[in-house]
Amino acid sequence: MELDQQSVQDLKAELSKHGVFTTTFEELYNWGRKNSVWPLTFGLACCAIEMIATTMARYDLARFGAEVFRASPRQADLIIVSGTVTKKMAPQVVRLYNQMPEPKYVIAMGACAISGGPFRDGYNVLKGIDRYIPVDVHIPGCPPRPEALIDAFMTLQKKISEQQLTGAGRPRHLHAELPSEFPVPEYAEHGLEPTENAEVWNPLKVIQG
Amino acid sequence: MSAQTISVEQVKALLEAAVSGCRVEIMQNGSPSAQHSLVLDNEHAVEAARFLREDPELRLDFCSNVTGVDWLDAELSEKMKTKKLVDGVETEVEEIKKTRIPGYLEAVYHLFSMKKKHGPVVVRLRTSNRTDQTRVPSLTPVWRSAEFQEREAFDLYGIVFEGHPDLRRILMWDEFADYPMRKDYVPPADDDEPVHAAGEGTQ
């Protein structure tokens, strides 16, 4: 018998009232993943100080299962880009992301990481890390408060729990043909080459006139 | 000797007496700080710097800051009254005389004395122009603390310090070709968000 989503949810709710708990493999798998996200020990500027504050006793990111900051990208599955990404640093950020195993996630924290922020017109500031790697959650703020980072983290958890293991809507890491590594930009005479990765960067178009 | 009693005039006099042939020019600072500075000629700059450090009265043993300044080509307009023949009658005509002042780059050093507790004495070195003659002597052999900051001035302004032990870019990567702190530097526009004319397809 084929049941639609709503009937399944109703049945589960009804059964739980009688002390019978049911779940799906997908739910169990995502529940486990979302509650043990290991971020990379990686900070770039003042936002990193707020990120550190978020992990300490007052805000306590450990409540969400993300207290294990790993010093190696090989053991991390979340990179929090916390601060200004200079053009000199951008290749290293992309390389760190490439070295992380799938499934992996990116939070762009603060005005600089999402757009260049107050330093946007500087000669050495990248205008947003989403030009090179796929960002899951953007947080505005300069710097964002720890509550904002927790909110972004909960948004990411929600995103993880909604990921499908099968079907056309499954995430990138379950598509064998989609890339898990992204081209590292190179230093050139006037800036970085290329200036963006068109496959991940979908800017809003600025209309003039 | 306290900070009040050391004046650029004194330093200039001491320098010119001690280093033969040294030409020192005083550059006035019109702001309330009145922090005037000394422009040294490039041929005698290292010798003069060594004197500033060693002289028992000055003992400027600490170079706290090295930076660059970019002076663009400037045009000076002066109103001149000249007599000219207009329709056979000699009349006074006002003419605007324009003089072109070629631009140059400057390296600025702020010197203090730990021993005598005075300073700063501001010393400037000038390049001949901003394009192909951008050389000044390095003062790193005199003050070691100038090493990284001279590299920074080289990196961002393109001032070439002759005699520097390790003149490489320090902030930008080695492949970078521009001097981003120069006033006529224009950052590449190709990394801006694409701009479309109104009416084109919107997303």
Side-chain angles (χ1 to χ4, degrees), chain A residues 49-51 53-55 59 61 109 143-152:
Chain A
I49 306 301
E50 295 297 303
M51 181 179 74
T54 313
T55 65
Y59 295 98
L61 199 62
M109 179 182 182
R145 286 192 53 85
E147 291 93 328
L149 181 57
I150 289 174
D151 183 57

Side-chain angles (χ1 to χ4, degrees), chain A residues 87-88 131 188-190 206 208, chain B residues 171 173 177-178 191 196 198:
Chain A
K87 286 178 184 166
K88 204 171 179 181
R131 281 154 194 265
E189 283 192 0
H190 305 291
V206 181
Q208 234 173 31
Chain B
L171 295 170
W173 48 92
D178 303 330
D191 63 355
H196 296 257

Side-chain angles (χ1 to χ4, degrees), chain A residues 87-88 120-121 123-124 127 131 187-192 195-196 201-209, chain B residues 156 170-173 175-178 180-181 185 188 190-198 201-203:
Chain A
K87 286 178 184 166
K88 204 171 179 181
R120 187 183 169 85
D121 291 332
Y123 55 86
N124 194 25
K127 293 166 183 171
R131 281 154 194 265
Y187 298 134
E189 283 192 0
H190 305 291
L192 292 174
T195 53
E196 76 273 323
W201 193 48
N202 299 303
L204 288 173
K205 283 177 180 165
V206 181
I207 311 289
Q208 234 173 31
Chain B
L156 304 180
I170 190 169
L171 295 170
M172 307 303 284
W173 48 92
E175 296 86 351
F176 197 69
D178 303 330
M181 289 295 277
Y185 171 74
D190 57 357
D191 63 355
D192 262 317
E193 249 94 70
V195 176
H196 296 257
T202 51
Q203 200 174 305

Side-chain angles (χ1 to χ4, degrees), chain A:
Chain A
M1 188 176 72
E2 193 81 7
L3 285 174
D4 64 90
Q5 278 290 321
Q6 191 54 47
S7 321
V8 171
Q9 292 301 323
D10 291 347
L11 185 61
K12 278 168 69 179
E14 185 59 31
L15 281 169
S16 72
K17 283 180 195 160
H18 302 284
V20 180
F21 293 95
T22 55
T23 186
T24 60
F25 179 68
E26 186 176 283
E27 270 179 7
L28 193 65
Y29 178 74
N30 285 342
W31 172 81
R33 288 197 310 128
K34 78 169 189 185
N35 288 305
S36 76
V37 173
W38 289 7
L40 182 64
T41 312
F42 173 72
L44 287 172
C46 22
C47 280
I49 306 301
E50 295 297 303
M51 181 179 74
I52 295 160
T54 313
T55 65
M56 299 313 291
R58 187 179 173 91
Y59 295 98
D60 198 10
L61 199 62
R63 292 176 295 153
F64 303 88
E67 75 277 24
V68 195
F69 273 74
R70 305 309 289 186
S72 162
R74 302 290 187 201
Q75 300 171 346
D77 40 26
L78 167 66
I79 181 169
I80 302 173
V81 183
S82 50
T84 319
V85 187
T86 60
K87 286 178 184 166
K88 204 171 179 181
M89 191 66 185
Q92 278 69 260
V93 179
V94 179
R95 196 168 285 122
L96 281 171
Y97 178 73
N98 284 347
Q99 288 172 347
M100 286 160 57
E102 291 278 12
K104 53 190 172 183
Y105 303 95
V106 181
I107 292 179
M109 179 182 182
C112 295
I114 66 179
S115 72
F119 312 112
R120 187 183 169 85
D121 291 332
Y123 55 86
N124 194 25
V125 174
L126 185 71
K127 293 166 183 171
I129 191 62
D130 51 2
R131 281 154 194 265
Y132 293 117
I133 55 177
V135 175
D136 294 282
V137 187
H138 295 79
I139 330 171
C142 187
R145 286 192 53 85
E147 291 93 328
L149 181 57
I150 289 174
D151 183 57
F153 191 75
M154 289 166 74
T155 309
L156 179 67
Q157 284 187 320
K158 193 161 177 283
K159 196 171 175 177
I160 294 174
S161 67
E162 285 168 0
Q163 285 187 335
Q164 297 171 6
L165 295 186
T166 52
R170 65 194 196 276
R172 190 190 67 230
H173 68 274
L174 296 172
H175 278 280
E177 72 281 7
L178 289 181
S180 70
E181 292 194 2
F182 293 87
V184 178
E186 282 186 13
Y187 298 134
E189 283 192 0
H190 305 291
L192 292 174
E193 282 296 336
T195 53
E196 76 273 323
N197 178 359
E199 286 183 12
V200 298
W201 193 48
N202 299 303
L204 288 173
K205 283 177 180 165
V206 181
I207 311 289
Q208 234 173 31

